[in-house]
mmCIF file of all heavy atoms in Angstrom:
data_model
loop_
_atom_site.group_PDB
_atom_site.id
_atom_site.type_symbol
_atom_site.label_atom_id
_atom_site.label_comp_id
_atom_site.label_asym_id
_atom_site.label_seq_id
_atom_site.Cartn_x
_atom_site.Cartn_y
_atom_site.Cartn_z
ATOM 1 N N GLY A 235 4.576 6.059 58.497
ATOM 2 C CA GLY A 235 5.566 5.048 58.784
ATOM 3 C C GLY A 235 5.328 3.731 58.071
ATOM 4 O O GLY A 235 5.853 2.690 58.470
ATOM 5 N N ALA A 236 4.536 3.761 56.998
ATOM 6 C CA ALA A 236 4.286 2.564 56.198
ATOM 7 C C ALA A 236 5.283 2.489 55.041
ATOM 8 O O ALA A 236 5.946 3.474 54.715
ATOM 9 C CB ALA A 236 2.854 2.565 55.680
ATOM 10 N N ASP A 237 5.377 1.319 54.395
ATOM 11 C CA ASP A 237 6.289 1.098 53.270
ATOM 12 C C ASP A 237 5.466 0.997 51.994
ATOM 13 O O ASP A 237 4.705 0.040 51.812
ATOM 14 C CB ASP A 237 7.086 -0.183 53.500
ATOM 15 C CG ASP A 237 8.145 -0.412 52.421
ATOM 16 O OD1 ASP A 237 8.068 0.220 51.349
ATOM 17 O OD2 ASP A 237 9.056 -1.240 52.654
ATOM 18 N N VAL A 238 5.613 1.952 51.093
ATOM 19 C CA VAL A 238 4.795 1.979 49.886
ATOM 20 C C VAL A 238 5.060 0.776 48.985
ATOM 21 O O VAL A 238 4.172 0.353 48.234
ATOM 22 C CB VAL A 238 5.020 3.303 49.112
ATOM 23 C CG1 VAL A 238 6.394 3.321 48.451
ATOM 24 C CG2 VAL A 238 3.923 3.509 48.068
ATOM 25 N N ALA A 239 6.258 0.203 49.067
ATOM 26 C CA ALA A 239 6.539 -0.988 48.261
ATOM 27 C C ALA A 239 5.664 -2.153 48.697
ATOM 28 O O ALA A 239 5.152 -2.916 47.867
ATOM 29 C CB ALA A 239 8.019 -1.360 48.353
ATOM 30 N N ALA A 240 5.491 -2.302 49.998
ATOM 31 C CA ALA A 240 4.617 -3.357 50.513
ATOM 32 C C ALA A 240 3.160 -3.072 50.163
ATOM 33 O O ALA A 240 2.400 -3.981 49.809
ATOM 34 C CB ALA A 240 4.791 -3.488 52.028
ATOM 35 N N VAL A 241 2.775 -1.803 50.251
ATOM 36 C CA VAL A 241 1.402 -1.418 49.906
ATOM 37 C C VAL A 241 1.123 -1.716 48.439
ATOM 38 O O VAL A 241 0.060 -2.245 48.076
ATOM 39 C CB VAL A 241 1.168 0.069 50.211
ATOM 40 C CG1 VAL A 241 -0.215 0.507 49.708
ATOM 41 C CG2 VAL A 241 1.298 0.334 51.702
ATOM 42 N N ARG A 242 2.086 -1.393 47.578
ATOM 43 C CA ARG A 242 1.915 -1.680 46.148
ATOM 44 C C ARG A 242 1.730 -3.175 45.920
ATOM 45 O O ARG A 242 0.901 -3.590 45.106
ATOM 46 C CB ARG A 242 3.125 -1.169 45.357
ATOM 47 C CG ARG A 242 3.049 -1.490 43.867
ATOM 48 C CD ARG A 242 4.276 -0.998 43.109
ATOM 49 N NE ARG A 242 4.178 -1.365 41.708
ATOM 50 C CZ ARG A 242 4.588 -2.539 41.210
ATOM 51 N NH1 ARG A 242 5.147 -3.438 42.005
ATOM 52 N NH2 ARG A 242 4.440 -2.811 39.938
ATOM 53 N N GLU A 243 2.520 -3.985 46.610
ATOM 54 C CA GLU A 243 2.388 -5.442 46.479
ATOM 55 C C GLU A 243 0.991 -5.891 46.912
ATOM 56 O O GLU A 243 0.364 -6.744 46.277
ATOM 57 C CB GLU A 243 3.452 -6.126 47.330
ATOM 58 C CG GLU A 243 3.491 -7.637 47.201
ATOM 59 C CD GLU A 243 4.129 -8.102 45.916
ATOM 60 O OE1 GLU A 243 4.826 -7.297 45.251
ATOM 61 O OE2 GLU A 243 3.940 -9.288 45.563
ATOM 62 N N GLY A 244 0.524 -5.286 47.983
ATOM 63 C CA GLY A 244 -0.781 -5.672 48.508
ATOM 64 C C GLY A 244 -1.935 -5.316 47.602
ATOM 65 O O GLY A 244 -2.857 -6.115 47.396
ATOM 66 N N ILE A 245 -1.912 -4.117 47.020
ATOM 67 C CA ILE A 245 -3.040 -3.714 46.179
ATOM 68 C C ILE A 245 -2.874 -4.197 44.739
ATOM 69 O O ILE A 245 -3.851 -4.480 44.058
ATOM 70 C CB ILE A 245 -3.258 -2.183 46.209
ATOM 71 C CG1 ILE A 245 -2.091 -1.422 45.589
ATOM 72 C CG2 ILE A 245 -3.522 -1.714 47.627
ATOM 73 C CD1 ILE A 245 -2.331 0.082 45.495
ATOM 74 N N GLY A 246 -1.625 -4.296 44.274
ATOM 75 C CA GLY A 246 -1.402 -4.716 42.892
ATOM 76 C C GLY A 246 -1.774 -6.163 42.649
ATOM 77 O O GLY A 246 -2.091 -6.546 41.513
ATOM 78 N N SER A 247 -1.764 -6.979 43.701
ATOM 79 C CA SER A 247 -2.133 -8.381 43.555
ATOM 80 C C SER A 247 -3.622 -8.562 43.270
ATOM 81 O O SER A 247 -4.056 -9.634 42.852
ATOM 82 C CB SER A 247 -1.753 -9.155 44.823
ATOM 83 O OG SER A 247 -2.412 -8.608 45.956
ATOM 84 N N ASP A 248 -4.389 -7.519 43.485
ATOM 85 C CA ASP A 248 -5.809 -7.533 43.131
ATOM 86 C C ASP A 248 -5.926 -7.392 41.616
ATOM 87 O O ASP A 248 -5.495 -6.389 41.045
ATOM 88 C CB ASP A 248 -6.515 -6.363 43.826
ATOM 89 C CG ASP A 248 -8.033 -6.393 43.671
ATOM 90 O OD1 ASP A 248 -8.510 -6.856 42.607
ATOM 91 O OD2 ASP A 248 -8.736 -5.927 44.581
ATOM 92 N N SER A 249 -6.496 -8.393 40.951
ATOM 93 C CA SER A 249 -6.565 -8.381 39.485
ATOM 94 C C SER A 249 -7.365 -7.203 38.947
ATOM 95 O O SER A 249 -7.195 -6.806 37.791
ATOM 96 C CB SER A 249 -7.175 -9.693 38.969
ATOM 97 O OG SER A 249 -8.500 -9.871 39.466
ATOM 98 N N ARG A 250 -8.211 -6.615 39.762
ATOM 99 C CA ARG A 250 -8.964 -5.435 39.325
ATOM 100 C C ARG A 250 -8.097 -4.190 39.276
ATOM 101 O O ARG A 250 -8.464 -3.194 38.646
ATOM 102 C CB ARG A 250 -10.150 -5.192 40.258
ATOM 103 C CG ARG A 250 -11.173 -6.303 40.286
ATOM 104 C CD ARG A 250 -12.152 -6.103 41.416
ATOM 105 N NE ARG A 250 -11.470 -6.083 42.723
ATOM 106 C CZ ARG A 250 -12.085 -5.807 43.865
ATOM 107 N NH1 ARG A 250 -13.374 -5.521 43.885
ATOM 108 N NH2 ARG A 250 -11.409 -5.818 45.013
ATOM 109 N N ILE A 251 -6.951 -4.227 39.952
ATOM 110 C CA ILE A 251 -6.069 -3.066 40.038
ATOM 111 C C ILE A 251 -4.800 -3.291 39.222
ATOM 112 O O ILE A 251 -4.467 -2.504 38.346
ATOM 113 C CB ILE A 251 -5.726 -2.757 41.505
ATOM 114 C CG1 ILE A 251 -7.002 -2.424 42.279
ATOM 115 C CG2 ILE A 251 -4.719 -1.602 41.591
ATOM 116 C CD1 ILE A 251 -6.791 -2.274 43.778
ATOM 117 N N GLY A 252 -4.074 -4.379 39.497
ATOM 118 C CA GLY A 252 -2.846 -4.675 38.769
ATOM 119 C C GLY A 252 -1.669 -3.846 39.260
ATOM 120 O O GLY A 252 -1.823 -2.884 40.011
#
Side-chain angles (χ1 to χ4, degrees):
D237 185 343
V238 72
V241 174
R242 177 181 178 273
E243 184 76 17
I245 65 175
S247 59
D248 188 327
S249 61
R250 298 169 300 174
I251 299 173

